[in-house]
Each structure stands twice: as C-alpha cells, then as structure tokens.
Amino acid sequence: MGFSISNAALRLVSGAFILNSGIGKLHLPPEHAAGLQASAQRVIPQAGKLTPEQFGRSLSASEIALGVFLLTPFVPSRLAGLALGVFSGGLLATYLKTPGMTEPGSIRPTPAGTAMSKDIWLAGIAAALVFHRRRPARIRHTGLPSQNPG
C-alpha cells in the first residue's frame, strides 16, 4: 500500500474542509436547512421527503462522516477518492441545476454561482486520489552481473 505525501496532502485539505463544513451545520436554523434542502431536491428528489430539520441533521452527519473518512489514514486513497467523487458530483450537479448559477447556455458561473462553482476543486482532488499511480520501485544497480538465466 505505502504512504504518499501528495495523497495525504489532498486528503488533509479536503477532509478538514468538509469536516469543518459538517460541524458548522450541526445547529442549522430550520430556514437555512430548508434552503439547502430545496437546492438538494433538484438533484436528489427524495430529499424533499425529510423535514428541514431532518435534512439539516443528515447533511451535517454526512459531511462529518466524509471528512473523517478522508482524514483516516488506513482508508485506501482510491476508496476515499471515490467517496469524495460522489460528494463533489452531487455538489456540481446542484450547481448546474440551480437556476441563475450559470451563464445562459454555458457552465460558466454567474456572480451568484461563483461560490458554488468553486467546489470543482473537490472533484479534481477526487480524480487525483482515484487515478494516482504509484511509480514502480527503482532497481538499484549493484554493478554485479545479472543472475537471471537467458
């Protein structure tokens, strides 16, 4: 398995950010939870079956769990990247499906959409974690003749 400083850095940055976001949502006012729920319903219609309070608690718990998952060192980076990819995909789908967030006929953000569009960095981190390839171990040259026949 091994340890990669680059993967650790990516996981630390994204995990700490998401964990902090989830902790910040622990005591969401119902009207703020309802606004987040309305946005989430555009991508996940089943979110509308919850009360705003239930949705806020679920969102907070999900973000805290994902943040901890990313920060846990024994979780394989590819698995952490897949989880982050699902989460960031949901954020990006919400951005794209929310009216007024993008320029007409484009994915470019409007001034109102800039705050949501910046979450694309999480998708980039997810891709880096999933597709990171380890370099093969270097063969040390000993100066001795090869022992391999043929």
Side-chain angles (χ1 to χ4, degrees):
M1 185 152 109
F3 177 80
S4 164
I5 297 252
S6 60
N7 280 355
L10 293 172
R11 291 175 67 167
L12 176 64
V13 168
S14 58
F17 182 86
I18 293 168
L19 177 61
N20 183 61
S21 178
I23 290 170
K25 289 181 176 85
L26 280 172
H27 304 289
L28 261 174
E31 40 304 329
H32 190 168
L36 292 172
Q37 184 179 22
S39 291
Q41 279 182 263
R42 291 182 185 96
V43 178
I44 306 167
Q46 296 82 356
K49 294 181 180 179
L50 302 172
T51 66
E53 292 82 6
Q54 290 171 323
F55 178 80
R57 284 192 303 272
S58 297
L59 180 61
S60 174
S62 299
E63 288 185 3
I64 290 170
L66 178 59
V68 169
F69 192 70
L70 285 162
L71 293 170
T72 304
F74 58 81
V75 172
S77 287
R78 285 201 175 110
L79 185 58
L82 286 171
L84 181 59
V86 169
F87 177 75
S88 64
L91 290 175
L92 291 174
T94 302
Y95 159 71
L96 292 171
K97 290 187 174 197
T98 301
M101 296 292 122
T102 60
E103 298 287 341
S106 173
I107 62 170
R108 291 183 53 226
T110 61
T114 299
M116 283 182 74
S117 70
K118 66 162 179 48
D119 289 332
I120 196 161
W121 67 277
L122 292 171
I125 289 174
L129 291 171
V130 169
F131 296 110
H132 178 253
R133 296 284 180 236
R134 299 191 65 79
R135 285 191 267 161
R138 295 177 102 183
I139 299 173
R140 202 165 100 175
H141 181 65
T142 61
L144 299 174
S146 173
Q147 299 295 321
N148 295 337

